[in-house]
Amino acid sequence: DSKLEFKRGDRILVAGPAGAGKTSVVGRLAARLTCQKHLPVKLVSLDDHKVGAIEELASYADLLGVDDYSMHTSPDSKLAMDRSKVVIFDTCAMPRDQQHLADLKTRIESLEPTHRLLVFSALMRSSDVESYAREVDWLKPTHLVFTMIDLTRRLGSLLAAASASDLKIAMITDSSGGDGAMIAAGPAELADIILGREEGRE
């Protein structure tokens, strides 16, 4: 969705499976909004499971000179509802424990996200992407984001996710070791990328 734009007061939830690159997406999106769009940004961590998750987010905040905090250590939702900034929420991987999942659902709904980005790694198998997209249907995602597109020649998982979720792809990005590009590509650009990388077989 190359027309996707963010403004002050937006609350962007970034969710997805473990290892998908959610926190990297948060950092890159924050950099884009602060450096290119000149918007004030706040980073908020909802992740109370991943070791170092809060520190990783805090590092991005320090580099960009933006506010950050953890809802685990400072569970005041009023801090997260700052309408003067674009607030980006970094979530944990969806927990298997049903009580923890129910708590996370309640917490997410209380934040009233305006955008819900579902992040997948391009390295995931198409069948796994489809299954996960159906599992988190309750999240009501609004857009897809794909990471690590530089690490594979097969990008069918992009199409599988878009088909399974009926969502637009908002952004694609390379691995964290790459040049940091975050592309908001339209259908024609995505088709060129996919057709240029997929290996055809007779």
Side-chain angles (χ1 to χ4, degrees), residues 164-184:
S165 63
D166 199 27
L167 296 173
K168 290 184 178 182
I169 298 174
M171 289 165 272
I172 55 177
T173 184
D174 54 18
S175 60
S176 57
D179 64 8
M182 183 174 248
I183 305 165

Side-chain angles (χ1 to χ4, degrees), residues 49 58 74 105 114 152:
H49 278 77
S74 305
K105 287 180 180 180
T114 56
T152 181

